[in-house]
Amino acid sequence: MSRNPAFIHCTMTGFLSTQCYSSLGKLKLLRNQPALSVLTTSQRKYISKDAAGIEFLQKSVVPTMHYQKSLPRLPVPKLEDTIRRYLAAQRPLLNDEHYRNTEKVAHDFQSDLGKQLHEELVALDKQNKHTSYISAPWFDMYLSARESVVLNFNPFMSFNPDPKPEYNDQLVRATNMVCSAVRFMKTLRGGLLEPEVFHLNPAKSDTDSFKRFIRWVPSSISWFGAYMVNAYPLDMSQYFRLFNSTRIPKQKRDELFTDDKGRHLLVIKRGNLYVFDALDRDGNLTKPSEIQAHLKYILTDSTPATSFPLGVLTSENRDTWAGLRQKLLDAGNGEALRLVDSALFCLCLDEEIMKDHIHISHNMLHGDGCNRWYDKSFSIILAKDGQAAINFEHSWGDGVAVLRFQNEVFKDTTEKPLVGPSSQPASVDSASAVRRLDFKLNEELKAGIIKAKENFNSAVSKLTIDAMEFKKGGKEQLKKKKLSPDAISQLAFQMGFLRQYGQTVATYESCSTAAFKHGRTETIRPASIHTKRCAKAFVQEPGKHTVDQLQGLLHECSKYHGQLTKEAAMGVGFDRHLFAMRYLANSKGMALPGLYLDPAYAAINHNILSTSTLTSPAVSLGGFAPVVPDGFGVGYGVHDEWIGCNVSSYPSRNVHEFLKCVHKSLEDIFTVLDGKPIH
């Protein structure tokens, strides 16, 4: 299967907005089958004595997985609705002749093979009420992809600096982040982490009294109790893969590995791999002063950078890496690889000082390839100056779980740090507690590492990243004008691309469907007949329209984008439905129906503008590479008073010019909102 764009890393968080969830209750809810036990035996062992409140981040009154059993199921959209939405998304991308052809192909599909595939999909879904119709195909899509996870899949989200500058010391911050991450893991496994809930009326639902009430409502119906107070619990089934997890390369299809018995941390410095226990034998957090001592030992270890950094193999083509991994096992490296795979997570200690946002983006997205293990579920990367970020492997889950983790770790490390600048590392024998992993490498493996490094350097050398901050307005001003901040940002990308290249192209925005059991993401298609009309008026015909007319066009775009967003969040977009039917046809060995062979289907899935939004008090910026060679990877955030973009491209596109065009588009939009004409 060809790599269908933005399935990929642009699901950095998936977009969550108020308008998405206000209509969720209108969905027809199907009866749910019993889900996994809320607390497994292996989880219960983590509810151990809490030494002076140090073991857990929080102690939620409502058990973490309390709502999981009663979450509504992801709906399979009606076929006629999917075709209607698909054609609406195709309309701005096609001329009249091509559109008529695509319309005929789509309607033929709807009345013939599509009808058959849809009915089979619905029947399969009814047989698998414990999950969603998209879950298995989505895992399969990710794990079957053979491209490198670097640039193609793994995104990054960088932490804001600690507001207390002295706490940004690399050793201090690394120690605090490790401690907070382990505390998060223990809180999660102990069932003591607050459930992830989207509150539309927090004054009613995010209160101690409601939590005390809902904890006694049986988990089989607890979702309905939350819904009654306008709160929407989100799926948390991906969270267990955060820790002790790795993507294992295999021929044709990778596997996800998790071993929750692992108590050790993986640390990488100068390409050398180290492990030490971050939990004791009873499952309690190793003393922070001891963790600090072990990290100091690694930071001051004089072992030179390895000539054959094993981590670079995780950046290889997946089949190539699978073959080399087997050779590593055959050479007697099984135990060392097992320690890497089962480690709680990976901590990368870099020796560079970050120069600016662009440097941070490059370093946290890909780095030099040597000081990373890209297959770990996530890695915390810490530069020499304390700049920190998370880089995560995408097959196991979407950004919602990672962002929750990042928010909690940032809050904990900045508000309740366990070590400070004056803390003394414990007087312990770190030399025996910390183990540097040695790998037996034959000539074939050494050659494989050298080749992987060459391939890595070639790939990342083609990537350009640039950033832009628009300081003349943001969320507050747009909301006052009753405009969707996300809609206006997306419109600015459409205007920017039109100004630069003179056309409207396939655009992808990720939207979380975590409001449903085993939901993943759905696509919002921001390029519409409304944005095309509006962009043309602003960019190509500004003198032909009055300010009132231009404002009217902005409101049309906002209203339509709001509708698309709501549909996507409610699981009734068209992309996942068409994807699932295609997957079903492939799995049955059917010849692909004409809709999937139509050049217009390939074109709408060649997402030249791949976008994902992210705002959080913990996150400074996020980013990812384009999903096609001639595309842009657009990470953006709409803040109260400003709008920021972090955009990547390959040589066939000019990212600097694109950002100038986006900035000009935002200037024009805000000028019109001020009641002034544009020229």
Side-chain angles (χ1 to χ4, degrees):
M1 185 182 69
S2 64
R3 178 162 74 100
N4 195 347
F7 291 153
I8 310 177
H9 41 254
C10 52
T11 56
M12 232 170 19
T13 58
F15 179 55
L16 298 174
S17 84
T18 304
Q19 62 188 352
C20 301
Y21 291 113
S22 56
S23 303
L24 278 172
K26 296 173 187 172
L27 289 173
K28 181 182 177 187
L29 301 180
L30 301 172
R31 186 171 60 84
N32 287 284
Q33 297 295 316
L36 293 169
S37 157
V38 171
L39 211 57
T40 65
T41 310
S42 67
Q43 289 169 328
R44 285 194 189 97
K45 72 180 181 190
Y46 285 94
I47 305 179
S48 54
K49 62 177 177 40
D50 189 355
I54 202 176
E55 295 296 316
F56 302 108
L57 285 186
Q58 53 198 222
K59 291 188 174 178
S60 175
V61 172
V62 185
T64 307
M65 305 302 278
H66 188 56
Y67 298 109
Q68 194 67 27
K69 192 186 279 192
S70 59
L71 284 173
R73 300 196 61 233
L74 184 70
V76 179
K78 292 178 181 173
L79 182 59
E80 58 268 30
D81 290 344
T82 287
I83 297 302
R84 174 176 53 78
R85 291 177 181 124
Y86 170 66
L87 289 172
Q90 285 284 17
R91 182 65 275 211
L93 307 179
L94 301 172
N95 64 28
D96 291 348
E97 182 190 349
H98 289 153
Y99 178 75
R100 278 195 298 273
N101 180 61
T102 291
E103 191 176 36
K104 182 183 183 306
V105 167
H107 286 140
D108 288 348
F109 175 79
Q110 182 182 336
S111 58
D112 188 16
L113 289 174
K115 187 168 183 286
Q116 176 192 331
L117 287 167
H118 173 75
E119 285 168 0
E120 286 187 42
L121 185 66
V122 169
L124 267 173
D125 185 55
K126 282 180 178 167
Q127 290 165 24
N128 293 280
K129 293 187 176 179
H130 63 287
T131 187
S132 69
Y133 78 90
I134 199 63
S135 184
W138 210 241
F139 274 120
D140 207 36
M141 177 272 297
Y142 270 120
L143 294 170
S144 300
R146 300 292 81 194
E147 299 90 355
S148 166
V149 297
V150 182
L151 302 187
N152 296 308
F153 295 92
N154 289 27
F156 83 92
M157 298 189 289
S158 70
F159 285 91
N160 274 317
D162 192 303
K164 303 180 291 297
E166 64 274 21
Y167 280 78
N168 289 310
D169 172 83
Q170 188 179 25
L171 175 59
V172 171
R173 200 168 199 201
T175 306
N176 281 320
M177 284 196 167
V178 168
C179 292
S180 293
V182 174
R183 279 151 50 80
F184 180 96
M185 181 273 290
K186 290 200 60 184
T187 311
L188 170 66
R189 290 184 179 169
L192 299 171
L193 188 72
E194 288 270 354
E196 189 73 11
V197 178
F198 191 86
H199 298 278
L200 278 175
N201 187 358
K204 270 191 174 182
S205 57
D206 199 11
T207 63
D208 290 342
S209 57
F210 176 74
K211 289 171 186 174
R212 284 195 298 269
F213 158 74
I214 200 71
R215 71 174 294 185
W216 296 111
V217 175
S219 58
S220 57
I221 57 170
S222 55
W223 182 89
F224 298 93
Y227 169 65
M228 296 303 284
V229 290
N230 232 359
Y232 295 92
L234 304 183
D235 180 78
M236 296 182 75
S237 62
Q238 299 170 6
Y239 278 58
F240 83 100
R241 292 272 190 208
L242 268 168
F243 299 98
N244 302 104
S245 296
T246 302
R247 175 173 173 161
I248 306 287
K250 299 278 183 181
Q251 297 293 337
K252 295 187 178 175
R253 186 184 189 276
D254 293 353
E255 291 174 5
L256 292 174
F257 170 86
T258 302
D259 177 6
D260 65 8
K261 294 180 184 64
R263 296 184 282 117
H264 59 285
L265 177 69
L266 172 68
V267 184
I268 312 183
K269 194 198 78 164
R270 293 182 185 158
N272 295 301
L273 279 61
Y274 304 80
V275 292
F276 67 82
D277 284 351
L279 293 162
D280 66 21
R281 285 190 175 82
D282 297 323
N284 295 314
L285 175 69
T286 300
K287 287 178 184 171
S289 59
E290 291 183 19
I291 289 173
Q292 186 180 12
H294 300 337
L295 290 174
K296 184 178 180 181
Y297 174 82
I298 293 169
L299 280 169
T300 55
D301 181 18
S302 59
T303 304
T306 173
S307 304
F308 300 101
L310 210 63
V312 77
L313 293 179
T314 65
S315 72
E316 257 292 10
N317 167 282
R318 302 308 292 178
D319 284 336
T320 305
W321 171 208
L324 289 165
R325 182 186 165 91
Q326 188 55 53
K327 289 181 170 61
L328 278 167
L329 292 169
D330 295 343
N333 295 296
E335 192 229 349
L337 283 172
R338 174 83 189 195
L339 285 168
V340 170
D341 298 337
S342 61
L344 289 162
F345 60 92
C346 179
L347 173 69
C348 306
L349 298 173
D350 288 357
E351 294 191 300
E352 276 189 277
I353 290 171
M354 298 293 99
K355 295 191 284 285
D356 52 29
H357 283 327
I358 309 304
H359 190 193
I360 290 170
S361 291
H362 278 290
N363 191 59
M364 305 312 187
L365 181 61
H366 55 78
D368 67 357
C370 302
N371 214 47
R372 303 284 182 270
W373 197 273
Y374 299 105
D375 288 352
K376 286 301 284 181
S377 54
F378 73 90
S379 297
I380 294 178
I381 302 165
L382 260 162
K384 196 175 181 78
D385 56 0
Q387 287 284 352
I390 289 176
N391 179 296
F392 68 97
E393 197 281 312
H394 218 320
S395 65
W396 63 270
D398 305 307
V400 176
V402 181
L403 185 61
R404 171 73 186 275
F405 169 74
Q406 188 158 3
N407 285 339
E408 297 284 3
V409 165
F410 182 76
K411 186 172 190 290
D412 194 53
T413 54
T414 53
E415 293 179 8
K416 295 183 232 166
L418 294 181
V419 301
S422 59
S423 301
Q424 288 302 310
S427 298
V428 289
D429 184 8
S430 289
S432 57
V434 177
R435 176 179 167 192
R436 182 163 58 83
L437 300 181
D438 283 318
F439 290 88
K440 304 177 187 76
L441 303 177
N442 56 31
E443 292 308 309
E444 192 176 8
L445 285 165
K446 288 177 181 178
I449 291 169
I450 290 167
K451 181 66 177 163
K453 183 73 173 110
E454 288 170 2
N455 292 340
F456 174 90
N457 289 342
S458 171
V460 302
S461 69
K462 298 181 178 76
L463 186 77
T464 303
I465 299 176
D466 199 1
M468 178 274 288
E469 290 183 356
F470 176 79
K471 293 292 183 71
K472 297 177 184 176
K475 192 187 297 178
E476 291 301 318
Q477 199 173 334
L478 292 170
K479 283 186 169 177
K480 279 179 191 161
K481 299 287 185 182
K482 295 186 166 53
L483 290 168
S484 155
D486 190 64
I488 296 305
S489 301
Q490 288 289 344
L491 177 61
F493 304 146
Q494 295 299 316
M495 285 185 189
F497 197 90
L498 183 69
R499 187 180 297 277
Q500 187 178 7
Y501 295 106
Q503 61 183 137
T504 299
V505 291
T507 307
Y508 179 113
E509 179 182 1
S510 174
C511 176
S512 172
T513 51
F516 300 94
K517 181 177 288 188
H518 294 189
R520 295 290 307 239
T521 58
E522 182 53 272
T523 309
I524 301 167
R525 291 290 183 172
S528 68
I529 54 169
H530 304 284
T531 60
K532 190 173 186 177
R533 188 184 301 134
C534 187
K536 186 180 179 188
F538 270 76
V539 175
Q540 296 173 338
E541 314 169 334
K544 290 187 182 177
H545 302 269
T546 66
V547 169
D548 282 352
Q549 286 172 330
L550 292 174
Q551 287 180 352
L553 290 171
L554 292 176
H555 280 278
E556 269 179 36
C557 290
S558 179
K559 185 181 174 188
Y560 188 68
H561 188 80
Q563 178 193 326
L564 292 180
T565 301
K566 191 181 290 185
E567 287 171 354
M570 290 170 67
V572 288
F574 69 83
D575 279 84
R576 299 301 175 268
H577 189 198
L578 289 179
F579 172 83
M581 288 189 285
R582 179 182 175 171
Y583 180 86
L584 184 58
N586 277 330
S587 65
K588 287 160 58 76
M590 279 175 63
L592 271 183
L595 179 140
Y596 298 110
L597 303 173
D598 179 10
Y601 180 80
I604 202 171
N605 285 300
H606 184 88
N607 289 304
I608 287 171
L609 286 171
S610 175
T611 73
S612 187
T613 185
L614 173 65
T615 48
S616 156
V619 178
S620 163
L621 74 165
F624 47 91
V627 297
V628 291
D630 58 340
F632 289 114
V634 183
Y636 65 102
V638 188
H639 304 268
D640 288 346
E641 306 297 337
W642 61 284
I643 297 168
C645 299
N646 197 34
V647 184
S648 61
S649 74
Y650 292 118
S652 65
R653 298 285 181 194
N654 184 332
V655 68
H656 314 296
E657 188 63 30
F658 176 68
L659 282 173
K660 283 181 192 168
C661 291
V662 170
H663 196 278
K664 164 71 172 151
S665 302
L666 287 168
E667 281 184 345
D668 287 352
I669 290 167
F670 278 85
T671 297
V672 165
L673 291 178
D674 284 341
K676 298 170 190 164
I678 53 171
H679 305 289

